[in-house]
Amino acid sequence: MTNHPVLSVHKISMRFGGLNALNKVSLQVFPREIAALIGPNGAGKTTFFNCVTGIYKPSGGYIELNGPDLRPKRINGLKPNLITRSGLARTFQNIRLFENMSVLENVMVGCHCRTTSNFLNAIIQTSSFKKEEQGVIEKSYELLKLVGLQGSANLSAKNLPYAEQRSLEIARALATEPRLLLLDEPAAGMNPQETTKLDQLIMKIRERFNLAVLLIEHDMKLVMRISDKVFVMAQGEKIAEGTPGEIQNNPRVIKAYLGEEVDVVS
Amino acid sequence: MKLRIIHSLIITFWFMLLCFPLVVLKIDYLEKSIRFRWINLFLTGLCVFFISLLWRYFLSRRRKYFLRLPEHFFDLHQSRLIRSKPFLFIFSLVFLSLPLILPNYHTSILITAMIYVVLGLGLNIVVGLAGLLDLGYAAFFAIGGYSFALLNHYFGFGFWASLPIAASLACLGGVLLGIPVLRLRGDYLAIVTLGFGEIIRLILENWEAFTKGPSGIPDLPKPGLFGIQLDFYSSTIYLYYLLILCMLAAILVTKRLSYSKTGRAWVALREDEIAAQSMGIDTTKTKLTAFGIGAFWAGIVGAFFASKNSFVDPSSFTFHESAIILSIVVLGGMGSILGVILATMILVLLPEYLRFLESYRMLIFGAIMVIMMVFRPEGLVKSVRQQYDFKNLK
């Protein structure tokens, strides 16, 4: 592993009124690493994602994303679309597809920030516009093939089965050409077969695009199978960090998940 | 069935109660007494009862009723007849020759209809594609019309010289309205745009020194044709053909935009703003282009409208106008080009040709709207996204 993390988060905090949703959380994700963020419900995992992707502005701390020139770039306070442009893409816990657009178009929207033509080119239909458009179609179709949705390319996104909608979200995020992919509960609502397919997909994506993945997940089997590193959060704080093996035996983690051990004998 | 009758009876009773002061009481001013006309109440009740019964019956049979229609009955854009070349050829031939056959009155009505088609297409971008509910769209129409009128009145600009200025000013107005409402959505956005529409109208009405106030600006010229003098009759025909060109341009531009990067960004914004932003779409820029391009078309036809009437006044740009244009978009089916054209036929031409029914025409107009929204809420033509072909891709 190189010394430069793709994403490094320094002590970010997020307050909603009196509630400390995040309290000085720091973590680093390195290139080509699959990291998992776990924790009981309400631990602040999704809030953390929303801070990193710019949907919330953190009330304290800062976030750096390593640029292609290996110089870190501060991204907190940037608008979500600019963060996506700097190489960070995400999926959503409650699926947020563009339901009335076709499956292919959903992915094409993902290509948006990597294309340059504007509406005037589209009206005149310049040759560069047509070429770029064709390129976008080809790239999107390629990504659909990767997640196994090429057969449904022209369907409305809302007509896809649940598990395929999740895959489509991943394909759409990949279209933005990220260096770090954030997956918010990608296996939620999937059956074991679908989950197995999903972790193969995640591995394949890492190999193919050389990117790092940070995922929130409640399915511990999946987490233990695929992650190189696990972060554990509880009540807005990071309480542990380590390899899956280390985490499984960490007393603080066990306490956070199962509660305090009570001595019944005395 | 029994339930249905009971339901209808309740409605009848309620209706009779509501109508009581209107249909029963009659004040006789001469004798200073009140006459009760009970027979009217009875007749009203009878009518309401049967209408309500029929309404409930059709509502319950809605599924069945529609299943009997051939599948895709409403998917006109996919219809082979409409897409076939002979049909299109004959249709355009008839459409092109209409002003030569029909009297001037009808040509003039068709011109108005085409103005509304372009307005509908413009608003369709803002409301149908980008999902930004705009209740003050007539303001941009007014900006276009008044730009031409004022330029002509004060500087003697002709139609063609004013047209680009009118369009750019309307476009600028769209962007200026867009900036403060970037953060607003849905109802809040609707209220602000409604206010904007009224502000523009009130400025036009009250700034008498500059805009001549409610009396309007008269004597506007018709579009010139290389300096050839046209009489009233032929200039109307000329305007008809110009508007065909304008309408075709609007259709072409909307179509091209809607299946481009910009159009996809608009639809993505309509579907889910947060997801769109997370996928790298600049929401600010996307919203402003939607407002700007939408207003641009209103500005263009605004100038045409002023020139056609050779007169503008603020009363042509009231909220009623915005509401009609919005109805065209909603009735036609959000985001559908063919829908806008069909809805304009219904909403603009129908009231015009039903004039012999006098005040009942607005009643029919209202009834059509209600029935449409109950039986076909997605509009006349359901907008379908483009299908892509992958045969040439591996």
Side-chain angles (χ1 to χ4, degrees):
Chain A
M1 260 176 235
T2 46
N3 300 327
H4 298 283
V6 186
L7 173 79
S8 62
V9 178
H10 295 273
K11 293 188 180 166
I12 58 160
S13 302
M14 183 75 214
R15 246 167 255 118
F16 295 110
L19 178 78
N20 265 333
L22 287 179
N23 194 7
K24 294 187 179 160
V25 177
S26 307
L27 59 79
Q28 293 189 319
V29 181
F30 290 88
R32 289 179 56 81
E33 189 175 53
I34 296 182
L37 184 61
I38 63 170
N41 288 328
K45 302 177 302 272
T46 298
T47 308
F48 178 80
F49 264 33
N50 285 342
C51 282
V52 173
T53 51
I55 291 175
Y56 298 153
K57 278 202 178 93
S59 5
Y62 61 94
I63 304 161
E64 279 177 348
L65 196 65
N66 232 337
D69 47 0
L70 292 179
R71 232 182 307 132
K73 179 181 176 189
R74 279 208 190 185
I75 57 167
N76 48 327
L78 282 184
K79 282 173 142 193
N81 53 306
L82 294 177
I83 293 180
T84 306
R85 231 178 124 149
S86 353
L88 197 150
R90 73 172 294 180
T91 66
F92 294 89
Q93 181 182 357
N94 41 348
I95 300 173
R96 300 188 89 135
L97 289 170
F98 308 123
E99 295 192 340
N100 290 313
M101 297 176 91
S102 74
V103 168
L104 185 79
E105 275 184 316
N106 265 276
V107 186
M108 287 166 82
V109 169
C111 300
H112 200 93
C113 61
R114 303 292 170 210
T115 50
T116 51
S117 67
N118 60 22
F119 69 94
L120 287 174
N121 302 135
I123 294 174
I124 313 167
Q125 302 263 308
T126 55
S127 61
S128 69
F129 167 80
K130 282 187 191 158
K131 212 166 131 191
E132 191 174 83
E133 195 73 359
Q134 191 57 35
V136 166
I137 295 174
E138 278 165 28
K139 179 179 152 191
S140 309
Y141 191 67
E142 215 40 53
L143 284 168
L144 282 183
K145 270 210 284 200
L146 180 79
V147 299
L149 286 176
Q150 70 274 32
S152 325
N154 276 328
L155 287 182
S156 269
K158 64 177 172 208
N159 294 337
L160 286 184
Y162 187 79
E164 293 187 358
Q165 292 197 356
R166 290 228 174 261
S167 316
L168 178 55
E169 271 216 324
I170 294 178
R172 187 179 67 174
L174 285 173
T176 66
E177 297 174 14
R179 268 169 296 120
L180 172 65
L181 182 62
L182 303 179
L183 304 173
D184 199 346
E185 299 202 22
M190 284 189 175
N191 63 31
Q193 286 90 346
E194 286 163 345
T195 311
T196 317
K197 257 196 216 158
L198 177 74
D199 64 50
Q200 283 161 1
L201 177 64
I202 294 176
M203 297 301 219
K204 196 157 86 184
I205 287 169
R206 169 169 67 173
E207 291 316 311
R208 175 97 171 257
F209 299 98
N210 252 326
L211 46 74
V213 178
L214 176 62
L215 57 119
I216 294 178
E217 191 45 72
H218 282 299
D219 185 335
M220 286 307 145
K221 280 186 199 148
L222 174 78
V223 170
M224 297 307 159
R225 262 200 314 267
I226 64 168
S227 20
D228 305 314
K229 200 198 270 171
V230 180
F231 302 100
V232 189
M233 282 181 70
Q235 291 172 342
E237 292 185 33
K238 187 179 82 176
I239 57 168
E241 160 177 359
T243 61
E246 288 164 12
I247 292 298
Q248 272 168 326
N249 301 317
N250 186 320
R252 284 192 76 185
V253 176
I254 295 169
K255 195 176 116 187
Y257 267 92
L258 301 175
E260 197 92 39
E261 205 172 332
V262 184
D263 204 348
V264 224
V265 186
S266 57
Chain B
M1 192 63 205
K2 206 174 141 194
L3 200 74
R4 227 177 266 159
I5 291 177
I6 293 173
H7 210 113
S8 297
L9 278 175
I10 296 174
I11 289 177
T12 309
F13 177 71
W14 181 242
F15 210 84
M16 280 157 79
L17 204 71
L18 286 177
C19 290
F20 179 78
L22 276 175
V23 301
V24 177
L25 300 178
K26 170 127 182 146
I27 299 168
D28 201 324
Y29 290 104
L30 292 177
E31 292 178 22
K32 296 203 170 157
S33 66
I34 296 173
R35 277 198 294 133
F36 292 91
R37 299 170 299 176
W38 294 109
I39 183 76
N40 283 1
L41 190 65
F42 174 73
L43 287 176
T44 317
L46 210 65
C47 286
V48 169
F49 180 72
F50 280 109
I51 290 174
S52 148
L53 213 58
L54 269 178
W55 177 253
R56 307 224 125 243
Y57 176 75
F58 278 116
L59 214 56
S60 69
R61 297 278 305 256
R62 186 166 70 158
R63 266 292 140 63
K64 242 182 231 170
Y65 195 68
F66 267 93
L67 278 182
R68 282 203 209 120
L69 293 174
E71 215 182 331
H72 304 305
F73 178 79
F74 278 108
D75 301 343
L76 291 161
H77 54 292
Q78 285 167 352
S79 146
R80 262 199 220 130
L81 176 72
I82 285 184
R83 297 208 149 204
S84 65
K85 283 213 175 98
F87 176 84
L88 281 176
F89 181 72
I90 293 169
F91 180 81
S92 21
L93 213 64
V94 169
F95 198 66
L96 283 173
S97 54
L98 275 180
L100 306 174
I101 308 164
L102 293 172
N104 224 352
Y105 166 70
H106 297 281
T107 313
S108 169
I109 289 174
L110 284 173
I111 291 174
T112 312
M114 285 193 282
I115 287 177
Y116 276 95
V117 168
V118 179
L119 284 171
L121 288 170
L123 189 62
N124 191 27
I125 290 176
V126 184
V127 180
L129 293 177
L132 305 160
L133 186 50
D134 186 347
L135 292 182
Y137 190 65
F140 308 121
F141 192 34
I143 292 177
Y146 264 91
S147 302
F148 167 49
L150 293 171
L151 281 169
N152 180 261
H153 185 80
Y154 287 106
F155 305 106
F157 276 42
F159 177 81
W160 292 115
S162 313
L163 188 66
I165 304 176
S168 343
L169 282 177
C171 188
L172 187 72
V175 174
L176 285 182
L177 166 69
I179 291 168
V181 301
L182 279 173
R183 290 158 181 276
L184 304 178
R185 285 188 70 76
D187 316 355
Y188 307 103
L189 178 67
I191 300 286
V192 175
T193 51
L194 179 71
F196 177 78
E198 285 304 287
I199 289 171
I200 296 288
R201 190 180 60 81
L202 287 172
I203 289 176
L204 295 177
E205 210 154 82
N206 291 302
W207 193 1
E208 291 208 20
F210 184 57
T211 65
K212 308 272 172 225
S215 49
I217 301 171
D219 298 329
L220 301 174
K222 296 265 190 272
L225 177 62
F226 307 115
I228 302 169
Q229 282 294 318
L230 295 166
D231 59 0
F232 180 72
Y233 177 72
S234 44
S235 73
T236 310
I237 294 177
Y238 176 49
L239 206 55
Y240 179 88
Y241 289 120
L242 283 181
L243 269 157
I244 289 184
L245 285 182
C246 178
M247 187 172 76
L248 288 179
I251 292 173
L252 188 75
V253 168
T254 316
K255 206 172 169 89
R256 285 187 169 178
L257 280 179
S258 131
Y259 299 126
S260 74
K261 182 181 160 186
T262 315
R264 284 193 299 272
W266 286 336
V267 179
L269 200 69
R270 177 189 78 192
E271 297 286 309
D272 190 327
E273 191 168 340
I274 288 187
Q277 211 175 3
S278 293
M279 288 306 120
I281 289 172
D282 186 344
T283 48
T284 308
K285 209 170 118 193
T286 309
K287 280 184 186 178
L288 292 183
T289 34
F291 273 120
I293 296 174
F296 173 84
W297 290 113
I300 289 205
V301 287
F304 274 107
F305 177 77
S307 167
K308 173 192 170 255
N309 295 345
S310 50
F311 171 74
V312 277
D313 71 334
S315 69
S316 318
F317 310 109
T318 53
F319 171 66
H320 180 75
E321 224 52 37
S322 302
I324 294 270
I325 305 166
L326 186 65
S327 313
I328 287 175
V329 175
V330 175
L331 185 75
M334 296 274 213
S336 157
I337 295 173
L338 186 63
V340 166
I341 298 171
L342 287 176
T344 313
M345 299 296 144
I346 293 177
L347 289 183
V348 178
L349 293 186
L350 212 58
E352 202 60 48
Y353 285 111
L354 287 179
R355 270 186 196 281
F356 63 92
L357 292 172
E358 291 170 8
S359 38
Y360 288 103
R361 70 196 176 106
M362 284 333 257
L363 195 71
I364 293 172
F365 179 88
I368 289 177
M369 285 298 273
V370 172
I371 291 172
M372 267 308 290
M373 286 300 107
V374 170
F375 287 98
R376 187 141 173 105
E378 66 267 51
L380 285 170
V381 183
K382 208 167 137 191
S383 121
V384 172
R385 298 299 302 174
Q386 190 179 10
Q387 307 284 301
Y388 291 90
D389 192 14
F390 309 108
K391 277 182 196 132
N392 48 352
L393 298 180
K394 281 268 170 83

